[in-house]
Amino acid sequence: MPSREEILAFIKKNPSKANKRDVARHFKITGAARIELKRILKDLMADGLVEKRQKQMLLPGELPPVFVATIRAASSEGELLAEPQNWDDALGTPPKVLILPEKRNKSQGVPALAIGDRVLLRLADVDPGAEAQFCARPIKKLQRQQDEVLGVLSIDPLSKEAILSPVDRKQRELNVDPRYLEGAKDSDLVAVEVVKAGRMRYPQARVTKVIGSMKSEKAVSEIALYTQNIPTEFPEAALAQAEAAAPVSQGKREDWRHLPLLTIDPADAKDHDDAVYAEADTAEDNPGGHIIYVAIADVAAYVTPGSPLDKEALKRGNSVYFPDRVIPMLPERISNNLCSLRELEDRPSMAVRMIFTAEGQKLSHSFHRVIMRSAAKLSYQQAQKAIDGVVDDKTGPLLEPVLKPLWQAYDALKRGRDKRAPLELDLPERKIKLKDDGTVDSVFVPERLDAHKLIEEFMIQANVAAAEQLEAKRAPVLYRVHDASTPEKLASLRDFLSTMSIKLPTIGGLRPSVFNHILAKVAETPSAQLVNEVVLRSQAQAEYTPQNIGHFGLNLRRYAHFTSPIRRYADLLIHRSLIRSLGLGKDGLPDGFEDKLDVIGGEISAAERRAMLAERETIDRLIALWLCDKLGATFKGRIAGVTKAGLFVRLSESGADGFVPASTIGTDFYEYVETAHALTAVHSGETFQLGDSVEVRLVEAAPFAGSLRFELLSKGQIRKDVHAHLRGNRKPERRRRPSKPHGLKRTKPKRR
């Protein structure tokens, strides 16, 4: 029998093998001797030398090898600190756990973590330093525990009984106490808190917030904000700092108020963070050249490092845009007032002056901290109409001295862009027009104008200049990177293109021009949309990181976001780095901050994906609500996705996406051919492929989930090449046919 000290040593060294059975196995204790071992372990627990947690025995104050923790703070070095979730208060203050960063380019990495996240951790044998007691590596990011439950209220008109149906289908329905409805009505979207729960009945709840009718856009976007954990209320300290901010005076800034800089934005834009101006370069050694000025809102002048505004901006990462409102990264006092480049008002700005040749090659650039004054606020449509010959009272005087030089400079940049050959995907973006009551009026694809492309190209060149400037100064840079496609994705794309007799090179590094050649080959053909979709899916996702790997999609060696600090935290960091490296003020990047860029890059990359998902979910839910009263109607569409389970169909008129279960298609057995992105019938060869035009009937609309279910009315095509891929599949994954109603006989197709 081992001694007490030997047992304690084993438990300390092997926390993952510290139950009674493991101890017995290690010390080869069998038979009746197990009774004595049980007594020793019981004595150790009684003496407080060992404690039992979930069948495991640990030394007091120790953590199990795998545990759930909540991220509570950041260390002085910017690394995340967590506390174990299930900690016995009798043991004192929960220990701090230093979370080791994930290695980049992992095949299956953990999503970026932030303060407030719940995460499954594995202890690591690494020195935690002075601010923590343990180190751990993340295994999995867990769903946050919600203090409130969001759902739709149903009130019985007779009994007045109120039931909440949570928007999260994983949560149980809740009985809502009629005394605490807070004015909520039937079918309202509300937030509730659970006040009492019983094992044999629904939990009880009280309404804490009435959001409004589920038919309004605000209620629908509120669901996305809730499910994605996007903060909507600014802390009092941040609001107080914003209200106390005073307009920045010129001071040592250069005076650019004589330049007729213009803001060109969407017609409904409330904040304006970039202004542009261009003129011909009169230098003899640059015939036909252009000088381009890009002025960007100087957010760094108002949002200083470590301040309440700065902490909240980092937490949000970016602004989130919905059809009728914006969840801003910064309070409106900053974003829509002090930092917005308003028409005919003095504003502080970070600006770049760039000189280009007639062929769009950049010769030089310089950065300046200035005071500027926007000469005019124009919409994209307004500027485009002026160039096309339809001027108004505002654009008429600006046409010759300002607008035409802008377009002449853009023509030069366009020639440079054509030589650079970035990836040119043609994937129109759908927009929603709302009625006054917040419901959907229509869904449309806005026209892509040269005015859009002009501003886009000017901003790209300013971003490139910022990255080049910081590299030249050996200053910290948080790059915007876009990696090349993985070999696995390229292999899948290659197999797909082979079904269309299109070859993708198998050797050498692929450049965007290779994809552009393929896209040009199928342009103006029925397969154009299909190929654009598949090429997009083969691409990696862009992210923020201090390690530069270039931007594949834009075909640029270095690229950093500089042009939108009002709505992106990454841009604010670039401004601060420029201010510090160029000696443009005392509000630049703090010394030593570069060590935090890796963690911050991961956090704001995750925030960007979170915002994109919330925006997409809101559009899907709004369209599902809009189509609720159109059940049974038929629509024309195109197959936008193919899986083993069925087909995703995108409607041509509205861009709405819905699903056709494979089990509802035809009478044959359909199998998934991954290389062809198709479902094909085993016996008849009838095939439905990504990009095919189809007609469908709407049979179900689920607004909460933002999902639509269709019935396929069109017949598939007979594609021998796809069917040949199916025959070559040795282990076909065949979907099951649905069960027939009782009394009906199932008939199998005749085999040939």
Side-chain angles (χ1 to χ4, degrees):
M1 186 64 61
S3 66
R4 287 163 52 108
E5 290 72 19
E6 288 174 324
I7 293 174
L8 286 173
F10 172 77
I11 292 174
K12 182 176 182 179
K13 190 175 181 180
N14 302 280
S16 62
K17 298 180 179 179
N19 58 39
K20 185 176 68 175
R21 180 179 299 176
D22 289 324
V23 174
R25 184 181 295 116
H26 176 76
F27 291 106
K28 299 179 181 178
I29 301 172
T30 59
R34 286 175 175 267
I35 298 174
E36 177 64 13
L37 174 63
K38 185 176 181 181
R39 184 193 64 77
I40 294 175
L41 293 174
K42 193 172 182 179
D43 288 344
L44 289 172
M45 285 187 279
D47 293 340
L49 299 175
V50 170
E51 62 181 24
K52 194 173 183 180
R53 284 185 241 159
Q54 298 181 346
K55 296 184 179 182
Q56 284 189 330
M57 285 173 291
L58 299 167
L59 302 185
E62 291 291 324
L63 291 174
V66 176
F67 59 98
V68 176
T70 302
I71 300 174
R72 297 297 188 192
S75 71
S76 59
E77 300 296 326
E79 296 173 302
L80 297 176
L81 295 172
E83 293 179 357
Q85 184 169 295
N86 298 317
W87 182 258
D88 188 351
D89 292 336
L91 297 173
T93 305
K96 294 290 189 293
V97 182
L98 181 69
I99 299 181
L100 301 175
E102 281 285 287
K103 296 179 181 178
R104 289 193 71 254
N105 296 330
K106 248 189 162 183
S107 58
Q108 290 184 337
V110 177
L113 301 173
I115 294 173
D117 283 344
R118 294 171 65 239
V119 60
L120 185 65
L121 299 174
R122 184 187 302 278
L123 280 179
D125 188 14
V126 178
D127 181 10
E131 297 183 60
Q133 289 77 51
F134 300 94
C135 274
R137 295 191 184 277
I139 299 173
K140 181 181 181 181
K141 183 177 178 180
L142 304 175
Q143 184 176 0
R144 288 196 188 188
Q145 293 177 323
Q146 299 287 355
D147 296 326
E148 293 182 324
V149 178
L150 199 69
V152 177
L153 199 63
S154 299
I155 303 176
D156 189 285
L158 298 178
S159 67
K160 303 301 180 182
E161 182 183 32
I163 301 291
L164 184 90
S165 300
V167 296
D168 185 348
R169 294 186 175 185
K170 297 177 182 178
Q171 294 176 322
R172 297 171 59 187
E173 286 188 338
L174 299 170
N175 278 336
V176 181
D177 193 324
R179 296 173 299 174
Y180 302 111
L181 289 176
E182 303 298 331
K185 302 174 183 177
D186 184 60
S187 299
D188 275 355
L189 180 70
V190 299
V192 304
E193 63 175 357
V194 179
V195 293
K196 182 173 35 176
R199 292 186 63 184
M200 304 305 295
R201 56 195 176 90
Y202 290 132
Q204 294 287 318
R206 66 171 66 185
V207 174
T208 58
K209 182 179 180 182
V210 180
I211 297 165
S213 170
M214 259 302 293
K215 293 184 178 180
S216 70
E217 191 280 337
K218 182 179 180 182
V220 174
S221 59
E222 197 75 24
I223 296 176
L225 294 171
Y226 173 83
T227 56
Q228 298 301 325
N229 293 297
I230 295 175
T232 57
E233 302 295 332
F234 284 97
E236 289 297 327
L239 291 174
Q241 183 186 350
E243 290 302 318
V248 173
S249 59
Q250 180 178 346
K252 296 181 179 180
R253 296 170 181 270
E254 297 178 39
D255 191 348
W256 278 23
R257 285 173 289 191
H258 63 285
L259 291 176
L261 291 149
L262 302 178
T263 61
I264 305 177
D265 292 293
D268 57 355
K270 294 181 180 179
D271 56 60
H272 310 278
D273 52 9
D274 59 80
V276 295
Y277 172 67
E279 61 186 4
D281 186 7
T282 57
E284 294 182 0
D285 58 349
N286 187 27
H290 302 271
I291 304 175
I292 293 176
Y293 302 82
V294 175
I296 306 298
D298 192 354
V299 176
Y302 295 98
V303 183
T304 53
S307 65
L309 278 175
D310 183 51
K311 291 177 180 178
E312 185 64 16
L314 172 57
K315 179 180 176 182
R316 296 181 178 223
N318 48 251
S319 299
V320 186
Y321 292 84
F322 296 115
D324 80 329
R325 62 172 171 158
V326 177
I327 306 300
M329 184 182 78
L330 298 167
E332 289 191 10
R333 164 80 172 153
I334 301 295
S335 60
N336 291 358
N337 187 348
L338 295 177
C339 285
S340 184
L341 306 183
R342 291 181 172 181
E343 185 178 50
L344 302 180
E345 294 187 22
D346 291 357
R347 285 292 183 267
S349 168
M350 283 289 294
V352 58
R353 179 180 184 269
M354 301 174 285
I355 301 177
F356 291 87
T357 68
E359 296 303 311
Q361 179 185 356
K362 182 159 67 71
L363 297 178
S364 65
H365 66 255
S366 58
F367 282 85
H368 310 260
R369 215 168 186 190
V370 307
I371 284 287
M372 53 82 64
R373 182 184 297 157
S374 169
K377 178 185 74 172
L378 303 180
S379 69
Y380 288 114
Q381 292 76 13
Q382 194 177 13
Q384 189 66 54
K385 283 183 178 180
I387 288 297
D388 293 340
V390 182
V391 296
D392 56 28
D393 292 342
K394 182 178 286 189
T395 58
L398 297 171
L399 181 60
E400 291 296 333
V402 183
L403 289 174
K404 284 189 176 180
L406 276 175
W407 254 258
Q408 290 163 0
Y410 168 60
D411 286 340
L413 293 190
K414 190 163 55 175
R415 286 190 284 272
R417 178 185 176 91
D418 291 342
K419 290 179 182 177
R420 192 175 82 241
L423 185 59
E424 300 282 3
L425 289 169
D426 183 17
L427 294 167
E429 182 182 2
R430 57 182 174 165
K431 296 287 184 181
I432 289 182
K433 181 182 179 182
L434 298 176
K435 299 177 183 176
D436 293 338
D437 61 2
T439 58
V440 177
D441 179 37
S442 62
V443 183
F444 65 99
V445 176
E447 184 182 3
R448 176 88 165 143
L449 304 172
D450 278 346
H452 292 102
K453 299 175 184 177
L454 180 149
I455 295 299
E456 180 183 277
E457 193 61 29
F458 278 32
M459 297 304 111
I460 288 174
Q461 293 300 333
N463 290 337
V464 171
E468 291 177 345
Q469 182 69 61
L470 291 175
E471 276 196 5
K473 289 290 185 178
R474 300 185 181 276
V477 189
L478 190 62
Y479 295 95
R480 177 66 167 179
V481 302
H482 179 220
D483 207 350
S485 303
T486 63
E488 293 77 14
K489 286 187 175 182
L490 288 177
S492 177
L493 176 62
R494 190 174 290 110
D495 289 339
F496 164 72
L497 293 174
S498 68
T499 66
M500 306 179 68
S501 300
I502 298 175
K503 291 185 177 181
L504 187 68
T506 56
I507 58 174
L510 297 183
R511 302 188 66 80
S513 57
V514 175
F515 296 103
N516 289 341
H517 177 73
I518 292 171
L519 296 173
K521 193 173 184 179
V522 299
E524 308 299 329
T525 72
S527 302
Q529 182 76 13
L530 162 64
V531 177
N532 273 271
E533 289 275 1
V534 178
V535 170
L536 173 65
R537 295 178 191 187
S538 72
Q539 302 302 306
Q541 193 168 28
E543 60 179 326
Y544 295 103
T545 174
Q547 290 84 34
N548 184 28
I549 58 173
H551 198 295
F552 178 82
L554 293 175
N555 199 13
L556 293 168
R557 293 182 178 179
R558 53 193 62 82
Y559 191 65
H561 273 164
F562 159 77
T563 54
S564 296
I566 287 177
R567 62 185 179 90
R568 291 189 306 228
Y569 192 77
D571 304 55
L572 177 56
L573 293 181
I574 293 298
H575 279 224
R576 288 175 178 166
S577 191
L578 286 167
I579 291 168
R580 187 179 87 177
S581 62
L582 296 174
L584 297 177
K586 297 180 180 180
D587 45 5
L589 205 64
D591 290 337
F593 198 84
E594 46 267 41
D595 296 334
K596 303 178 182 180
L597 289 182
D598 208 358
V599 173
I600 290 176
E603 289 180 1
I604 60 179
S605 294
E608 178 187 47
R609 292 191 287 271
R610 178 182 67 182
M612 291 171 62
L613 191 57
E615 293 164 2
R616 186 168 65 246
E617 285 179 352
T618 297
I619 290 177
D620 289 342
R621 289 189 176 102
L622 278 172
I623 292 177
L625 268 172
W626 181 50
L627 294 176
C628 270
D629 59 352
K630 296 180 173 62
L631 296 180
T634 60
F635 302 90
K636 294 187 182 298
R638 191 177 293 275
I639 296 175
V642 183
T643 69
K644 298 170 187 176
L647 307 172
F648 290 93
V649 175
R650 181 167 299 150
L651 303 186
S652 302
E653 184 178 349
S654 65
D657 291 305
F659 189 63
V660 179
S663 58
T664 65
I665 303 174
T667 58
D668 204 336
F669 289 100
Y670 287 81
E671 293 182 6
Y672 177 52
V673 183
E674 183 178 5
T675 55
H677 295 263
L679 283 180
T680 188
V682 173
H683 304 102
S684 68
E686 183 185 39
T687 299
F688 297 94
Q689 189 175 28
L690 187 71
D692 283 354
S693 296
V694 293
E695 187 174 3
V696 294
R697 178 184 290 118
L698 179 62
V699 295
E700 182 184 356
F704 288 175
S707 61
L708 305 170
R709 184 164 63 86
F710 297 132
E711 175 188 353
L712 192 62
L713 303 178
S714 302
K715 297 290 185 182
Q717 301 181 43
I718 304 299
R719 291 192 172 97
K720 294 182 179 179
D721 53 342
V722 176
H723 201 240
H725 277 261
L726 176 63
R727 291 183 178 180
N729 184 4
R730 296 182 179 179
K731 294 182 179 180
E733 298 197 25
R734 182 173 298 176
R735 68 169 175 83
R736 294 176 178 234
R737 299 294 301 167
S739 301
K740 294 290 183 181
H742 183 70
L744 294 181
K745 183 179 180 181
R746 177 181 291 179
T747 58
K748 291 184 178 180
K750 292 182 179 180
R751 296 184 181 273
R752 295 183 179 180

